[in-house]
């Protein structure tokens, strides 16, 4: 007598396996059509903030991300934190480097895919940041870089204001009208290969330099959506090295053929005379009044 029960069980098991195989193949095919995004996090002794940054990348609602962390030889708990998440990383390293820009160049040398970004180890993505940015880049092939809005937070994560984001361009950047929160930027890998790497001689404004070079050969687009939390704190580079920003930017202007008498130099002088010497919390309140 035929074992109909056994036959049906085997048939059902085979059908289930086939069903799961179809689902798996469908998911993999879907993933293969999504642009791959490589995200780099450079870090040095930022253990206080690093885990929040890492988690904000790993918890994105976009599935096709290659995540890379480049640590500059931290002596705090950073390496311990990185090892906690190393199974989710495409690559990571902890070794002495030549600074922030060098760490990023090292990370981008291991990047693959169509889109690149970096998230500093004290900043945080919102969960939909990557998917929204990729949606814009996918639908507008003429755009080389997108950026959005960012909330400012202090060292404890409390709100400290809003970054004054707005649309800018190559010529506006050379006048000092930047308005780009770095943590929200996403740009095409083929353009990076065209204009990169980052200039190690620019201690503070290597990101500004990259944006100028990208805007010179493609369109940069502001998207009015909040993609990141930008941390302002007393130990942050934005605060302790603020006086090195404009000299770096003036070097970029000179390279691009700008005049010594320029809007950018006027901005630097105005900043020094009016508020660069004030505590950073007061500067945030004045920033909206002094941006033009």
């Amino acid at each position: 007598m035929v074992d109909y029960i056994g036959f049906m069980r085997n048939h059902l098991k085979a059908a289930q396996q086939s069903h799961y195989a179809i689902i798996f193949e469908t998911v993999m095919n879907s993933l293969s059509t999504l642009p791959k995004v490589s995200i780099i996090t450079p870090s040095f002794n930022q253990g206080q903030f690093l885990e929040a940054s890492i988690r904000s990348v790993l918890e994105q609602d976009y599935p096709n991300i290659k995540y890379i962390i480049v640590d500059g030889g931290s002596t705090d708990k950073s390496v311990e934190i990185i090892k906690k998440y190393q199974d989710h990383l495409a690559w990571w390293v902890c070794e002495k480097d030549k600074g922030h820009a060098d760490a990023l160049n090292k990370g981008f040398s291991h990047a693959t895919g169509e889109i690149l970004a970096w998230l500093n180890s004290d900043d945080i993505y919102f969960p939909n940041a990557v998917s929204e940015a990729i949606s814009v880049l996918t639908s507008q092939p003429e755009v080389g870089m997108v950026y959005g809005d960012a909330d400012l937070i202090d060292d404890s994560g409390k709100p400290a204001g809003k970054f004054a984001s707005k649309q800018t361009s190559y010529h506006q950047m050379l006048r000092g009208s930047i308005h780009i929160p770095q943590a929200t930027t996403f740009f095409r890998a083929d353009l990076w290969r065209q204009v990169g790497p980052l200039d190690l001689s620019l201690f503070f404004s290597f990101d500004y330099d990259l944006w100028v070079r990208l805007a010179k050969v493609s369109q940069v687009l502001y998207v009015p959506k909040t993609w990141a939390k930008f941390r302002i704190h007393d130990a942050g580079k934005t605060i302790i090295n603020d006086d090195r920003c404009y000299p770096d930017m003036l070097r970029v202007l000179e390279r691009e053929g700008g005049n010594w008498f320029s809007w950018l130099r006027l901005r630097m002088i105005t900043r020094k005379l009016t508020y660069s010497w004030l505590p950073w919390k007061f500067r945030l309140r004045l920033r909206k009044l002094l941006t033009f």
Side-chain angles (χ1 to χ4, degrees):
M1 183 177 179
V2 177
D3 183 1
Y4 287 106
I5 295 178
F7 172 79
M8 291 303 296
R9 282 176 176 170
N10 291 335
H11 182 74
L12 179 61
K13 183 177 181 180
Q16 288 175 331
Q17 290 175 339
S18 176
H19 177 67
Y20 292 141
I22 292 172
I23 292 176
F24 178 77
E25 183 178 0
T26 301
V27 170
M28 293 306 295
N29 287 338
S30 176
L31 283 176
S32 67
T33 63
L34 292 174
K36 181 185 290 184
V37 184
S38 283
I39 299 174
I40 318 299
T41 290
S43 184
F44 180 67
N45 286 337
Q46 290 287 316
Q48 179 182 358
F49 310 119
L50 178 59
E51 186 164 18
S53 297
I54 293 174
R55 291 184 63 88
S56 77
V57 175
L58 299 180
E59 293 172 1
Q60 286 297 299
D61 62 7
Y62 188 83
N64 200 6
I65 293 176
K66 179 176 181 178
Y67 190 29
I68 294 168
I69 298 179
V70 183
D71 185 274
S74 293
T75 56
D76 62 359
K77 60 181 180 179
S78 295
V79 174
E80 177 184 342
I81 293 171
I82 296 170
K83 286 182 176 179
K84 179 179 176 181
Y85 296 96
Q86 63 182 350
D87 291 343
H88 302 282
L89 305 178
W91 183 78
W92 74 277
V93 69
C94 177
E95 62 185 20
K96 188 175 181 180
D97 55 42
K98 298 176 183 178
H100 197 168
D102 185 40
L104 284 165
N105 284 339
K106 189 183 301 182
F108 284 130
S109 72
H110 289 267
T112 58
E114 298 90 334
I115 309 298
L116 303 178
W118 83 78
L119 183 75
N120 290 329
S121 52
D122 50 1
D123 298 331
I124 299 171
Y125 279 142
F126 280 96
N128 57 348
V130 176
S131 60
E132 290 185 354
I134 301 311
S135 177
V136 175
L137 286 168
T138 301
S139 64
Q140 302 190 52
E142 73 281 3
V143 174
M145 184 182 86
V146 294
Y147 60 97
D149 291 317
D151 292 339
L152 301 178
I153 58 174
D154 62 17
D155 54 359
S156 64
K158 294 180 180 178
K162 295 281 290 186
F163 194 99
S165 304
K166 66 179 181 180
Q167 183 63 51
T168 188
S169 67
Y170 169 74
H171 294 291
Q172 288 173 308
M173 288 185 203
L174 293 181
R175 294 196 295 269
S177 180
I178 308 169
H179 305 291
I180 301 175
Q182 179 280 313
T184 70
T185 59
F186 296 83
F187 49 93
R188 299 189 188 276
D190 58 345
L191 291 177
W192 165 262
R193 289 188 287 270
Q194 180 179 342
V195 305
L198 299 173
D199 186 347
L200 301 190
S201 71
L202 297 172
F203 173 81
F204 194 100
S205 297
F206 56 81
D207 50 0
Y208 165 76
D209 177 45
L210 176 63
W211 301 332
V212 167
R213 284 185 274 164
L214 287 170
K216 191 175 183 178
V217 299
S218 69
Q219 181 182 346
V220 297
L221 180 67
Y222 163 59
V223 181
K225 293 186 176 182
T226 305
W227 288 342
K229 296 180 181 180
F230 185 85
R231 196 182 301 269
I232 306 291
H233 55 98
D234 291 333
K237 187 175 180 180
T238 303
I239 299 302
I240 62 176
N241 295 296
D242 183 65
D243 60 331
R244 299 178 68 171
C245 175
Y246 275 92
D248 274 3
M249 292 169 65
L250 287 168
R251 285 180 53 201
V252 175
L253 175 64
E254 181 181 356
R255 183 199 67 206
E256 296 298 312
N259 295 323
W260 191 94
F261 293 101
S262 62
W263 276 109
L264 185 58
R265 191 173 297 277
L266 177 61
R267 284 172 181 268
M268 180 182 72
I269 294 171
T270 302
R271 184 185 182 91
K272 285 184 177 181
L273 292 176
T274 55
Y275 76 106
S276 64
W277 46 273
L278 291 170
W280 65 266
K281 290 184 179 180
F282 287 96
R283 276 186 267 163
L284 290 178
R285 297 174 186 175
L286 291 173
R287 180 175 294 177
K288 290 184 178 180
L289 299 176
L290 296 176
T291 53
F292 51 93

